[in-house]
Amino acid sequence: MNAALTPDGGHGTSGVGERPVADDEAPVIRGNIPGSFPRSVLEERHPALIDRVRRSFPYGAEQQRALDALLNEIDGGDITPLPEEAHDHGRWAEWGYPHHGRRWLDVPFLWAESFFHRRLLEAVSYFGPGPWRGLDPFAPVKHAELRSEGVDLLLVALHDLGALPAEERLRALLLTSLPGNRADPGFETVSGGGPGECRATLVVDEVTAARDLLEPGPEGPGTVSVIAGHSGRELIADLAVIDHLLVHGLADRVVLHVKPAPHHVSDAVLADVMHGVRRLSFGPGRTAGIGERLWEAIGTDRLRLSAHPFFCAPLTFAEMPTDLRNELAGCTVSLLKGDLNYRRLVGDRLWPATTPFAPLAAHFPSPVVALRLLGSDVVTGLPAGTVNRLTATEDDWRISGAHAVVQTAGG
């Protein structure tokens, strides 16, 4: 088992795609520590993912050669840039110029993960002019998740939750949306038990504060943004939360932000939203009503879908472009789902787990609610007693997915 990193290393250096580094900030996470979680991702999960992609579709010889080249490069080779003919070569050249020619293990982990997935799309000709253009290499995994027993149980649970009082239902829906589908190699599916139940232990519970942020002010309900994480089970639960916000007047409109291209194996793209809405529409009883209402909400712009290029960039939320920042500033609250969005919010650094969450999230342009299973080294805002207990009893508590947080900032 790969151990989680602890915040006792030296300070990293700042590069393109990172916040400016203050002297007292935690070190940037990299994959060059033996036995660490980032190293296991770079040396074990990424090669396994290339193998899974090969088995997903019968790619042609050109794509197979490109996958071979990428596999050889990540196995001890130096990072090479995107080809000059790539449509986003200029952007990635700017983000990556300090890192090209270095080992994958030695560059910031957030950048390395993001660039690996971009290179994977290049290898399978996702952006190319030929017949493979636009084919999601992770689609078979996503479709299998939608057909799984876990999703069947979730649809039944959503029907049952419809009988609860509205306030109790919102808490249950938020907790139901916590577990990710964990479709990437090395993770098993984490699913809830009964309605609204999350098997992960909630080590920070600010659901009441989240409900308070969602309550309309004197001017009435406004726009709520939901920045999606995983597709499949998690996205279906997110869609149920969105329906609740619209039905119960907690939002006049919701903007759902998804990735503009496949990213991090199971992250949601537009097609996944469509599949999720349809899956809800064919669910039992009250669940079908959720899908039908969302279908109508999309058609009337009460639910707007957005796929800003920033969400596939190797950047933190502190570095988001002006147009996206201005849009989010107009929202009453933003719900951030999942591990990657959490890392981008507070910075992918080895913060001591007791570091207060709200100051690290203060740069975000709207009040924020972060809902996330712990699946990486980054975690903040935990009470000292909780950290001491977890450290004494669980070696890998930061990365195991056995614990979750609901945290708020702003407002």
Side-chain angles (χ1 to χ4, degrees), residues 313-331:
L315 307 175
T316 66
F317 283 115
E319 301 162 291
M320 74 176 76
T322 301
D323 61 335
L324 181 59
R325 175 170 291 278
N326 290 341
E327 178 179 348
L328 293 172
C331 296

Side-chain angles (χ1 to χ4, degrees), residues 210 213-214 223-226 250 328 331-335 366-369 409:
L213 285 177
L214 289 165
T223 298
V224 173
S225 67
V226 176
L250 300 179
L328 293 172
C331 296
T332 57
V333 63
S334 295
L335 305 184
S366 68
V368 66
V369 177

Side-chain angles (χ1 to χ4, degrees), residues 223 246 252-255 294-305:
T223 298
L246 292 172
D252 182 58
R253 185 174 75 155
V254 174
V255 180
L294 290 172
W295 189 284
E296 180 180 357
I298 294 171
T300 59
D301 210 32
R302 293 196 71 207
L303 172 55
R304 186 170 70 83
L305 306 175

Side-chain angles (χ1 to χ4, degrees), residues 115-251:
F115 191 53
F116 168 78
H117 285 87
R118 176 61 187 87
R119 290 281 305 280
L120 186 60
L121 292 184
E122 193 68 21
V124 297
S125 304
Y126 180 85
F127 296 108
W132 298 102
R133 182 180 180 87
L135 181 67
D136 185 345
F138 312 129
V141 174
K142 295 175 177 180
H143 293 164
E145 168 74 10
L146 284 175
R147 296 191 300 267
S148 69
E149 182 183 5
V151 169
D152 291 338
L153 293 173
L154 172 62
L155 298 179
V156 173
L158 292 176
H159 165 76
D160 294 340
L161 289 178
L164 296 177
E167 184 171 312
E168 186 178 345
R169 191 186 319 147
L170 177 58
R171 176 181 175 85
L173 287 170
L174 290 173
L175 295 181
T176 299
S177 76
L178 272 170
N181 62 24
R182 292 299 179 83
D184 52 326
F187 271 138
E188 298 296 332
T189 298
V190 179
S191 58
E197 181 181 342
C198 174
R199 290 181 182 174
T201 302
L202 203 60
V203 291
V204 177
D205 181 355
E206 296 184 359
V207 176
T208 299
R211 288 204 308 258
D212 291 344
L213 285 177
L214 289 165
E215 283 294 326
E219 298 180 357
T223 298
V224 173
S225 67
V226 176
I227 300 177
H230 290 293
S231 57
R233 183 199 188 283
E234 180 179 330
L235 181 59
I236 287 176
D238 295 343
L239 290 168
V241 171
I242 290 170
D243 174 69
H244 183 92
L245 298 179
L246 292 172
V247 168
H248 293 280
L250 300 179

Side-chain angles (χ1 to χ4, degrees), residues 74-88:
I74 65 175
D75 185 21
D78 295 334
I79 299 170
T80 59
L82 285 174
E84 291 188 4
E85 63 269 20
H87 75 282
D88 51 354

